[in-house]
Amino acid sequence: MSDVLIYNPYDYAMHENPYPTYELLREKAPIYRNDELDFWALTRHADVYAAGRDFTTYSNSHGVNLELWSPDMARRSSFIAMDPPDHTRFRALISRAFTPRRVAELEPRIRQITRGHLDAALAAGGDFDFITDLAQNIPADVISELVGVPAADRAQVLRWSNESLNREEGTSGIPGSSVAATIQLMTYYGQLIADRRAHPGDDMVSALIAAEIDGQRLSDKDIGAVLLLLGVAGNESTTKILGNAWYQAAVHPGQRRIAFQPGRIGDWVEETLRYDSSGQMTARLVTSDVEWHDTVVPAGSRLLLIFAAANHDPRVFPNPEMFDLDRDTSRTLAFGTGPHFCLGASLARLEARIVLEELVAAVHEDYGVGTPVRVHHPNIHGLSSLPTTVKAR
């Protein structure tokens, strides 16, 4: 099958538009094998959903990225590379900052941050880059405030975060510039941890220093891994959701008209999450022989759960290639499923809703966009640049 149908998550063409390939995979190779890159892939909604919830058979122990696959990923990536019960205990510490009540309490501050960046973008006269001048700055500020990154350091932390995600076309290797940016981030967070040990504050770093798991305090390496995960994921997820929402509404003007109507921002966010998922997939280690569609996947295999393909499965979403704000999106897998459901999903949704609400209140519906520039990463689908032209109300 691989001689006829080739799926390479590192191919830049896939990053531009992966959905035709996903459709072929779902229909012709629902369990797909890539011998060259040594992975299997599931793309149908029912299959991805079932595997995502079975952490015993499909383990996170080697990480969630093919290019960072390693049995010691838990030491480098924290709880994202753990399975229950270790994952459950570690996640419980972090989740205290993301309870529905704590997230809801952030709304006034997120709105204040959004208005500050939006006012600055509109001050340019209506022409600005939606990503670099607006969208990326808001979640970066929000997560930095939660973590405790001083305002003076946030622009540099954001640059390192963006650079750490760059990938080279066609290869599973990580470029030197990405490695260097990751090391700089880790060094910075190490210095921040040391400062908070000496001078505790009201932030997540200080809370993690004081936290215990089974009577043991977290090491600097543990805390640094959490900060690296939150810093990068906290920036990237919401930025890509916002960019995808703004772009898709621009190229679907009939749906944009609906999006700008009162009470439709939530539908705009949710259909964007389904139609143009910012998180494409996750990797799992298969712990025992399993059979999918009359094919045995042996223990020790690397298996991709392609959430973005599942979100276009016509068995669940009729006419999936239509961007339709009136559809039922309740079964969307944009944030995963099971014990590894995205910890920051509620925060990402809140940030996206607030930013789009403020935009709808501030500008007219008939905005325009220029040529988008894509991020090139196997797991992330979104934009690094989107020129836009608006008319202020």
Coordinates of all heavy atoms in Angstrom, one line a residue, residues 209-298:
I209 N 7.7 24.5 42.9 CA 8.8 24.3 43.9 C 8.3 23.8 45.2 O 8.9 23.0 45.8 CB 9.6 25.6 44.0 CG1 10.4 26.0 42.8 CG2 10.5 25.6 45.2 CD1 11.0 27.4 42.8
A210 N 7.1 24.3 45.6 CA 6.5 23.9 46.9 C 5.8 22.6 46.8 O 5.4 22.0 47.9 CB 5.6 25.0 47.4
A211 N 5.5 22.1 45.6 CA 4.6 21.0 45.5 C 5.3 19.7 45.8 O 6.6 19.6 45.8 CB 4.1 20.9 44.0
E212 N 4.5 18.7 46.2 CA 5.1 17.4 46.5 C 4.3 16.3 45.8 O 3.1 16.4 45.6 CB 5.0 17.1 48.0 CG 5.9 18.0 48.8 CD 5.8 17.6 50.3 OE1 5.0 16.8 50.7 OE2 6.6 18.2 51.1
I213 N 5.0 15.2 45.4 CA 4.3 14.0 44.9 C 4.7 12.9 45.8 O 5.9 12.5 45.8 CB 4.7 13.7 43.4 CG1 4.2 14.9 42.5 CG2 4.1 12.4 43.0 CD1 4.5 14.6 41.0
D214 N 3.8 12.3 46.5 CA 4.1 11.2 47.4 C 5.2 11.6 48.4 O 6.0 10.8 48.7 CB 4.5 9.9 46.6 CG 3.4 9.4 45.7 OD1 2.2 9.7 46.0 OD2 3.7 8.7 44.8
G215 N 5.1 12.8 48.9 CA 6.0 13.3 49.9 C 7.3 13.7 49.4 O 8.2 14.2 50.2
Q216 N 7.5 13.7 48.0 CA 8.8 14.1 47.5 C 8.6 15.4 46.7 O 7.6 15.6 45.9 CB 9.4 13.1 46.6 CG 9.9 11.8 47.3 CD 10.6 10.9 46.4 OE1 10.4 10.8 45.2 NE2 11.5 10.1 47.0
R217 N 9.6 16.3 46.8 CA 9.5 17.6 46.1 C 10.0 17.3 44.6 O 10.8 16.4 44.4 CB 10.4 18.6 46.7 CG 10.0 19.1 48.1 CD 8.7 19.9 48.0 NE 8.2 20.3 49.3 CZ 8.5 21.5 49.9 NH1 9.3 22.4 49.2 NH2 8.0 21.8 51.1
L218 N 9.6 18.2 43.7 CA 10.0 18.1 42.3 C 11.4 18.6 42.2 O 11.8 19.6 42.8 CB 9.1 18.9 41.4 CG 7.6 18.5 41.5 CD1 6.8 19.4 40.6 CD2 7.4 17.0 41.1
S219 N 12.2 17.9 41.3 CA 13.5 18.4 41.0 C 13.5 19.6 40.1 O 12.5 19.9 39.4 CB 14.4 17.3 40.4 OG 13.9 17.0 39.1
D220 N 14.6 20.3 39.9 CA 14.7 21.4 39.0 C 14.4 20.9 37.6 O 13.8 21.6 36.7 CB 16.0 22.1 39.1 CG 16.1 23.0 40.3 OD1 15.2 23.0 41.1 OD2 17.2 23.7 40.4
K221 N 14.9 19.7 37.3 CA 14.7 19.1 35.9 C 13.2 18.9 35.7 O 12.7 19.2 34.6 CB 15.5 17.8 35.8 CG 15.4 17.2 34.4 CD 16.2 15.9 34.3 CE 17.7 16.3 34.1 NZ 18.5 15.1 33.8
D222 N 12.5 18.3 36.7 CA 11.1 18.1 36.6 C 10.3 19.4 36.3 O 9.5 19.5 35.4 CB 10.5 17.5 37.8 CG 10.9 16.0 38.0 OD1 11.2 15.4 37.0 OD2 11.0 15.5 39.1
I223 N 10.6 20.4 37.1 CA 10.0 21.7 37.0 C 10.3 22.3 35.6 O 9.4 22.9 34.9 CB 10.4 22.7 38.1 CG1 9.9 22.0 39.5 CG2 9.7 24.0 37.9 CD1 10.4 22.8 40.7
G224 N 11.6 22.3 35.2 CA 11.9 22.8 33.9 C 11.2 22.2 32.8 O 10.8 22.9 31.8
A225 N 11.0 20.9 32.8 CA 10.3 20.2 31.8 C 8.9 20.6 31.7 O 8.3 20.8 30.6 CB 10.4 18.6 32.0
V226 N 8.2 20.8 32.8 CA 6.9 21.3 32.8 C 6.8 22.7 32.2 O 5.9 23.0 31.4 CB 6.3 21.4 34.3 CG1 5.0 22.1 34.3 CG2 6.2 20.0 34.8
L227 N 7.7 23.6 32.6 CA 7.7 25.0 32.1 C 8.0 25.0 30.6 O 7.4 25.8 29.9 CB 8.8 25.8 32.8 CG 8.6 26.0 34.3 CD1 9.7 26.8 34.9 CD2 7.3 26.6 34.6
L228 N 8.9 24.1 30.1 CA 9.1 24.0 28.7 C 7.8 23.6 27.9 O 7.5 24.2 26.9 CB 10.2 23.1 28.4 CG 10.8 23.0 27.0 CD1 11.4 24.3 26.6 CD2 11.8 21.9 26.8
L229 N 7.2 22.6 28.5 CA 5.9 22.2 27.9 C 4.9 23.3 27.9 O 4.3 23.6 26.8 CB 5.4 20.9 28.6 CG 4.0 20.4 28.2 CD1 4.0 20.0 26.8 CD2 3.6 19.3 29.2
L230 N 4.6 23.9 29.0 CA 3.6 24.9 29.1 C 4.0 26.1 28.3 O 3.1 26.8 27.7 CB 3.4 25.3 30.6 CG 2.8 24.2 31.5 CD1 2.7 24.8 32.9 CD2 1.4 23.8 31.0
G231 N 5.2 26.5 28.3 CA 5.7 27.7 27.6 C 5.5 27.6 26.1 O 5.0 28.5 25.4
V232 N 5.8 26.4 25.5 CA 5.7 26.2 24.1 C 4.3 25.9 23.7 O 3.7 26.6 22.9 CB 6.7 25.1 23.6 CG1 6.4 24.8 22.1 CG2 8.1 25.5 23.8
A233 N 3.7 24.9 24.4 CA 2.3 24.6 24.1 C 1.3 25.7 24.4 O 0.4 25.9 23.6 CB 1.9 23.3 24.9
G234 N 1.5 26.4 25.5 CA 0.7 27.5 25.9 C 0.7 28.7 24.8 O -0.3 29.4 24.7
N235 N 1.8 28.8 24.2 CA 1.9 29.9 23.1 C 1.3 29.4 21.8 O 0.5 30.1 21.2 CB 3.4 30.2 22.9 CG 4.0 31.0 24.0 OD1 3.3 31.6 24.8 ND2 5.3 30.9 24.1
E236 N 1.7 28.2 21.4 CA 1.4 27.7 20.1 C 0.0 27.4 19.8 O -0.6 27.7 18.8 CB 2.3 26.5 19.7 CG 3.8 26.9 19.6 CD 4.0 28.0 18.5 OE1 3.4 27.9 17.4 OE2 4.8 28.9 18.8
S237 N -0.6 26.6 20.8 CA -2.0 26.1 20.5 C -3.0 27.3 20.2 O -3.6 27.3 19.2 CB -2.5 25.3 21.7 OG -3.8 24.9 21.5
T238 N -3.0 28.3 21.1 CA -4.0 29.3 20.9 C -3.6 30.2 19.7 O -4.5 30.6 18.9 CB -4.1 30.2 22.2 OG1 -4.4 29.4 23.3 CG2 -5.2 31.3 22.0
T239 N -2.3 30.5 19.5 CA -1.9 31.3 18.3 C -2.4 30.6 17.0 O -2.9 31.3 16.1 CB -0.4 31.4 18.3 OG1 0.0 32.1 19.5 CG2 0.1 32.2 17.1
K240 N -2.2 29.3 16.9 CA -2.6 28.6 15.7 C -4.1 28.5 15.6 O -4.7 28.6 14.5 CB -2.0 27.2 15.7 CG -0.5 27.2 15.7 CD 0.2 28.1 14.7 CE 1.7 28.1 14.8 NZ 2.2 29.0 15.8
I241 N -4.8 28.3 16.7 CA -6.3 28.3 16.6 C -6.8 29.7 16.1 O -7.7 29.8 15.2 CB -6.9 28.0 18.0 CG1 -6.6 26.6 18.4 CG2 -8.5 28.2 17.9 CD1 -6.9 26.4 19.9
L242 N -6.3 30.8 16.6 CA -6.7 32.1 16.2 C -6.4 32.4 14.7 O -7.2 32.9 14.0 CB -6.0 33.1 17.1 CG -6.6 33.3 18.5 CD1 -5.7 34.2 19.4 CD2 -8.0 33.9 18.4
G243 N -5.2 32.0 14.3 CA -4.8 32.3 12.9 C -5.6 31.5 12.0 O -6.1 32.0 10.9
N244 N -5.9 30.2 12.3 CA -6.7 29.4 11.5 C -8.2 29.9 11.4 O -8.8 29.9 10.3 CB -6.7 27.9 12.0 CG -5.3 27.3 11.8 OD1 -4.5 27.8 11.2 ND2 -5.2 26.1 12.5
A245 N -8.7 30.3 12.5 CA -10.1 30.9 12.6 C -10.2 32.1 11.7 O -11.1 32.3 10.9 CB -10.5 31.2 14.0
W246 N -9.2 33.0 11.8 CA -9.3 34.3 11.1 C -9.1 34.0 9.6 O -9.8 34.6 8.8 CB -8.2 35.2 11.6 CG -8.3 36.6 11.2 CD1 -7.4 37.3 10.3 CD2 -9.3 37.6 11.6 NE1 -7.8 38.6 10.2 CE2 -8.9 38.8 11.0 CE3 -10.4 37.5 12.5 CZ2 -9.7 40.0 11.2 CZ3 -11.1 38.7 12.6 CH2 -10.8 39.9 12.0
Y247 N -8.2 33.1 9.2 CA -8.0 32.8 7.8 C -9.2 32.0 7.2 O -9.6 32.4 6.1 CB -6.7 31.9 7.7 CG -6.5 31.5 6.3 CD1 -6.0 32.4 5.3 CD2 -6.7 30.2 5.8 CE1 -5.8 32.0 4.0 CE2 -6.4 29.8 4.5 CZ -6.0 30.7 3.6 OH -5.8 30.4 2.3
Q248 N -9.7 31.0 7.9 CA -10.8 30.3 7.3 C -12.1 31.1 7.2 O -12.8 31.0 6.2 CB -11.1 29.0 8.2 CG -10.0 28.0 8.2 CD -9.7 27.5 6.8 OE1 -10.5 27.5 5.9 NE2 -8.5 26.9 6.7
A249 N -12.3 32.0 8.1 CA -13.5 32.9 7.9 C -13.3 33.8 6.7 O -14.2 34.2 6.0 CB -13.7 33.7 9.2
A250 N -12.0 34.3 6.5 CA -11.7 35.2 5.4 C -12.0 34.5 4.0 O -12.5 35.1 3.1 CB -10.3 35.7 5.5
V251 N -11.6 33.2 3.9 CA -11.8 32.5 2.6 C -13.1 31.8 2.5 O -13.4 31.2 1.5 CB -10.6 31.5 2.4 CG1 -9.3 32.2 2.4 CG2 -10.6 30.4 3.5
H252 N -14.0 31.9 3.5 CA -15.3 31.4 3.5 C -16.3 32.6 3.9 O -16.8 32.6 5.0 CB -15.5 30.2 4.4 CG -14.7 29.0 4.0 ND1 -13.5 28.8 4.5 CD2 -15.0 28.0 3.2 CE1 -13.0 27.6 4.0 NE2 -13.9 27.2 3.2
P253 N -16.4 33.6 3.1 CA -17.2 34.8 3.5 C -18.6 34.5 3.9 O -19.1 35.3 4.8 CB -17.1 35.7 2.2 CG -16.8 34.8 1.1 CD -15.9 33.7 1.7
G254 N -19.3 33.5 3.4 CA -20.6 33.2 3.9 C -20.6 32.8 5.4 O -21.4 33.2 6.2
Q255 N -19.6 32.0 5.8 CA -19.4 31.6 7.2 C -18.9 32.8 8.0 O -19.2 32.9 9.2 CB -18.5 30.4 7.3 CG -19.1 29.2 6.6 CD -20.4 28.8 7.2 OE1 -20.5 28.5 8.4 NE2 -21.5 28.7 6.3
R256 N -18.1 33.6 7.4 CA -17.6 34.8 8.1 C -18.8 35.7 8.5 O -18.8 36.3 9.6 CB -16.6 35.6 7.3 CG -16.1 36.9 7.9 CD -15.1 37.6 7.1 NE -15.7 38.0 5.8 CZ -14.9 38.5 4.8 NH1 -13.6 38.6 4.9 NH2 -15.5 38.9 3.7
R257 N -19.8 35.8 7.7 CA -21.0 36.6 8.0 C -21.7 36.0 9.2 O -22.1 36.8 10.1 CB -21.9 36.6 6.8 CG -23.0 37.6 6.8 CD -23.7 37.7 5.5 NE -22.8 38.0 4.4 CZ -22.5 37.2 3.4 NH1 -23.1 36.0 3.3 NH2 -21.7 37.6 2.5
I258 N -21.7 34.7 9.3 CA -22.3 34.1 10.5 C -21.5 34.3 11.7 O -22.0 34.6 12.8 CB -22.5 32.6 10.2 CG1 -23.5 32.4 9.1 CG2 -23.0 31.9 11.5 CD1 -23.6 30.9 8.6
A259 N -20.2 34.2 11.5 CA -19.2 34.3 12.6 C -19.3 35.7 13.3 O -19.2 35.8 14.5 CB -17.8 34.1 12.2
F260 N -19.6 36.7 12.5 CA -19.7 38.1 13.1 C -21.1 38.4 13.6 O -21.3 39.5 14.2 CB -19.3 39.1 12.0 CG -17.9 39.4 11.9 CD1 -16.9 38.5 11.6 CD2 -17.4 40.7 12.2 CE1 -15.6 38.8 11.6 CE2 -16.1 41.0 12.2 CZ -15.1 40.1 11.8
Q261 N -22.0 37.4 13.6 CA -23.3 37.7 14.2 C -23.2 37.5 15.7 O -22.4 36.7 16.2 CB -24.3 36.7 13.6 CG -24.6 37.0 12.1 CD -25.6 36.0 11.5 OE1 -26.0 35.0 12.2 NE2 -25.9 36.1 10.2
P262 N -24.1 38.1 16.5 CA -24.1 38.0 17.9 C -24.2 36.5 18.3 O -25.0 35.8 17.8 CB -25.3 38.8 18.4 CG -25.5 39.8 17.3 CD -25.1 39.1 16.0
G263 N -23.4 36.1 19.3 CA -23.5 34.8 19.9 C -22.9 33.6 19.1 O -23.1 32.5 19.4
R264 N -22.2 33.9 18.0 CA -21.6 32.9 17.2 C -20.1 32.6 17.3 O -19.6 31.8 16.6 CB -22.0 33.1 15.7 CG -23.5 33.2 15.4 CD -24.3 32.0 15.9 NE -23.8 30.7 15.3 CZ -24.4 30.2 14.2 NH1 -25.4 30.8 13.6 NH2 -23.9 29.0 13.8
I265 N -19.5 33.4 18.2 CA -18.0 33.2 18.3 C -17.7 31.8 18.8 O -16.7 31.2 18.3 CB -17.5 34.2 19.4 CG1 -17.7 35.7 18.9 CG2 -16.0 34.0 19.6 CD1 -17.0 36.1 17.6
G266 N -18.4 31.2 19.7 CA -18.2 29.9 20.1 C -18.2 28.9 19.0 O -17.4 28.0 18.9
D267 N -19.2 29.0 18.1 CA -19.3 28.1 17.0 C -18.1 28.3 16.0 O -17.6 27.3 15.4 CB -20.6 28.4 16.2 CG -21.8 28.1 17.0 OD1 -21.8 27.2 17.9 OD2 -22.8 28.9 16.9
W268 N -17.7 29.5 15.9 CA -16.5 29.8 15.0 C -15.3 29.1 15.6 O -14.5 28.5 14.8 CB -16.3 31.4 15.0 CG -15.3 31.9 14.1 CD1 -14.5 31.2 13.2 CD2 -14.9 33.3 14.0 NE1 -13.7 32.1 12.5 CE2 -13.9 33.3 12.9 CE3 -15.3 34.4 14.6 CZ2 -13.3 34.6 12.6 CZ3 -14.7 35.7 14.2 CH2 -13.8 35.7 13.2
V269 N -15.1 29.2 16.9 CA -13.9 28.5 17.5 C -14.0 27.0 17.3 O -13.1 26.4 16.9 CB -13.8 28.9 19.0 CG1 -12.7 28.0 19.7 CG2 -13.5 30.4 19.2
E270 N -15.2 26.4 17.6 CA -15.3 25.0 17.6 C -15.2 24.4 16.2 O -14.6 23.4 16.0 CB -16.6 24.6 18.2 CG -16.7 24.9 19.7 CD -15.6 24.3 20.5 OE1 -15.2 23.1 20.3 OE2 -15.0 25.0 21.4
E271 N -15.8 25.1 15.2 CA -15.7 24.6 13.8 C -14.2 24.7 13.3 O -13.8 23.9 12.5 CB -16.7 25.3 12.9 CG -16.6 24.9 11.4 CD -16.9 23.4 11.1 OE1 -17.0 22.6 12.0 OE2 -17.0 23.1 9.9
T272 N -13.5 25.8 13.7 CA -12.1 25.9 13.4 C -11.3 24.7 14.0 O -10.5 24.1 13.3 CB -11.6 27.2 13.9 OG1 -12.3 28.3 13.2 CG2 -10.1 27.3 13.6
L273 N -11.6 24.4 15.2 CA -10.9 23.3 15.9 C -11.1 22.0 15.1 O -10.2 21.1 15.0 CB -11.4 23.1 17.3 CG -10.9 24.2 18.3 CD1 -11.7 24.1 19.6 CD2 -9.4 24.1 18.5
R274 N -12.3 21.8 14.6 CA -12.6 20.6 13.8 C -12.0 20.7 12.4 O -11.3 19.8 11.9 CB -14.1 20.3 13.7 CG -14.5 19.0 12.9 CD -15.8 19.1 12.3 NE -15.9 20.0 11.2 CZ -15.5 19.7 9.9 NH1 -15.0 18.6 9.6 NH2 -15.6 20.6 8.9
Y275 N -12.3 21.7 11.7 CA -12.0 21.8 10.3 C -10.5 22.1 10.0 O -10.0 21.5 9.0 CB -12.8 23.0 9.7 CG -12.6 23.3 8.2 CD1 -13.3 22.5 7.3 CD2 -11.7 24.2 7.7 CE1 -13.2 22.7 5.9 CE2 -11.5 24.4 6.4 CZ -12.3 23.7 5.5 OH -12.1 23.9 4.1
D276 N -9.9 22.8 10.9 CA -8.5 23.2 10.6 C -7.7 23.0 11.9 O -7.2 24.0 12.5 CB -8.4 24.6 10.1 CG -7.1 24.9 9.3 OD1 -6.4 23.9 9.1 OD2 -6.9 26.1 9.0
S277 N -7.6 21.8 12.4 CA -7.0 21.5 13.7 C -5.6 21.9 13.8 O -4.8 21.6 13.0 CB -7.1 20.0 14.0 OG -8.4 19.5 13.8
S278 N -5.3 22.7 14.9 CA -3.9 23.1 15.1 C -3.0 22.0 15.5 O -1.8 21.9 15.2 CB -3.9 24.3 16.1 OG -4.4 23.9 17.3
G279 N -3.6 21.1 16.3 CA -2.8 19.9 16.7 C -3.2 18.7 15.8 O -4.3 18.3 15.7
Q280 N -2.2 18.2 15.0 CA -2.6 17.2 14.0 C -2.6 15.8 14.5 O -3.4 15.0 14.1 CB -1.5 17.3 12.9 CG -1.6 18.6 12.1 CD -2.7 18.6 11.1 OE1 -2.7 17.9 10.1 NE2 -3.8 19.3 11.4
M281 N -1.7 15.5 15.4 CA -1.5 14.0 15.8 C -0.8 13.9 17.1 O -0.2 14.9 17.6 CB -0.8 13.3 14.7 CG 0.7 13.8 14.6 SD 1.5 13.2 13.1 CE 0.8 14.3 11.9
T282 N -0.7 12.7 17.5 CA 0.2 12.3 18.6 C 0.7 10.9 18.4 O 0.1 10.1 17.7 CB -0.5 12.4 20.0 OG1 0.4 12.2 21.1 CG2 -1.6 11.3 20.1
A283 N 1.9 10.6 18.9 CA 2.5 9.3 18.8 C 2.3 8.4 20.0 O 2.3 9.0 21.1 CB 4.0 9.4 18.4
R284 N 2.2 7.1 19.8 CA 2.0 6.2 21.0 C 2.9 5.0 20.7 O 3.1 4.6 19.6 CB 0.6 5.7 21.1 CG -0.4 6.8 21.5 CD -0.3 7.2 23.0 NE -1.4 8.0 23.4 CZ -1.4 9.4 23.4 NH1 -0.3 10.0 22.9 NH2 -2.4 10.1 23.8
L285 N 3.4 4.4 21.8 CA 4.1 3.1 21.7 C 3.1 2.0 21.9 O 2.3 1.9 22.9 CB 5.1 3.0 22.8 CG 5.8 1.7 23.0 CD1 6.7 1.4 21.8 CD2 6.6 1.6 24.3
V286 N 3.0 1.0 21.0 CA 2.2 -0.1 21.1 C 2.8 -1.2 22.0 O 3.9 -1.6 21.7 CB 1.9 -0.7 19.7 CG1 1.0 -1.9 19.8 CG2 1.3 0.3 18.7
T287 N 2.1 -1.5 23.1 CA 2.8 -2.4 24.1 C 2.5 -3.8 23.9 O 3.1 -4.7 24.6 CB 2.3 -1.9 25.5 OG1 0.8 -2.1 25.6 CG2 2.6 -0.5 25.8
S288 N 1.5 -4.2 23.1 CA 1.3 -5.6 22.8 C 0.7 -5.7 21.4 O 0.2 -4.8 20.8 CB 0.3 -6.2 23.8 OG -1.0 -5.5 23.7
D289 N 0.8 -6.9 20.8 CA 0.3 -7.1 19.4 C -1.2 -6.7 19.4 O -1.9 -7.2 20.2 CB 0.5 -8.5 19.0 CG 2.0 -8.9 18.8 OD1 2.8 -8.0 18.9 OD2 2.2 -10.1 18.4
V290 N -1.5 -5.9 18.4 CA -3.0 -5.6 18.2 C -3.3 -5.7 16.7 O -2.5 -5.7 15.9 CB -3.2 -4.1 18.7 CG1 -3.1 -4.0 20.2 CG2 -2.3 -3.1 17.9
E291 N -4.6 -5.9 16.5 CA -5.1 -6.0 15.1 C -6.0 -4.9 14.8 O -7.0 -4.6 15.5 CB -5.8 -7.4 14.9 CG -6.2 -7.6 13.5 CD -6.8 -9.0 13.2 OE1 -6.2 -10.0 13.8 OE2 -7.8 -9.1 12.6
W292 N -5.7 -4.2 13.7 CA -6.6 -3.2 13.1 C -6.8 -3.5 11.7 O -5.9 -3.7 10.9 CB -5.9 -1.8 13.2 CG -5.8 -1.2 14.6 CD1 -4.7 -1.2 15.4 CD2 -6.8 -0.6 15.3 NE1 -5.0 -0.6 16.6 CE2 -6.3 -0.2 16.6 CE3 -8.1 -0.2 15.0 CZ2 -7.0 0.5 17.5 CZ3 -8.9 0.4 16.0 CH2 -8.3 0.8 17.2
H293 N -8.1 -3.6 11.3 CA -8.5 -3.8 9.9 C -7.8 -5.0 9.3 O -7.2 -4.8 8.2 CB -8.3 -2.5 9.1 CG -9.1 -1.3 9.7 ND1 -10.5 -1.2 9.6 CD2 -8.7 -0.3 10.5 CE1 -10.9 -0.1 10.2 NE2 -9.8 0.5 10.8
D294 N -7.8 -6.1 10.0 CA -7.2 -7.3 9.5 C -5.6 -7.3 9.4 O -5.0 -8.1 8.6 CB -7.8 -7.8 8.2 CG -9.3 -8.0 8.3 OD1 -9.7 -8.5 9.3 OD2 -10.0 -7.6 7.3
T295 N -5.0 -6.3 10.0 CA -3.6 -6.1 10.0 C -3.0 -6.1 11.4 O -3.6 -5.4 12.3 CB -3.2 -4.8 9.3 OG1 -3.7 -4.9 7.9 CG2 -1.7 -4.7 9.3
V296 N -2.0 -7.0 11.7 CA -1.4 -7.0 13.0 C -0.4 -5.9 13.1 O 0.5 -5.8 12.3 CB -0.8 -8.4 13.3 CG1 -0.1 -8.4 14.6 CG2 -1.9 -9.5 13.3
V297 N -0.5 -5.1 14.1 CA 0.5 -4.1 14.5 C 1.3 -4.7 15.7 O 0.7 -4.9 16.8 CB -0.1 -2.8 14.9 CG1 0.9 -1.8 15.3 CG2 -1.0 -2.2 13.7
P298 N 2.6 -5.0 15.5 CA 3.3 -5.7 16.6 C 3.7 -4.8 17.7 O 3.8 -3.6 17.6 CB 4.5 -6.2 15.8 CG 4.7 -5.3 14.7 CD 3.4 -4.9 14.3

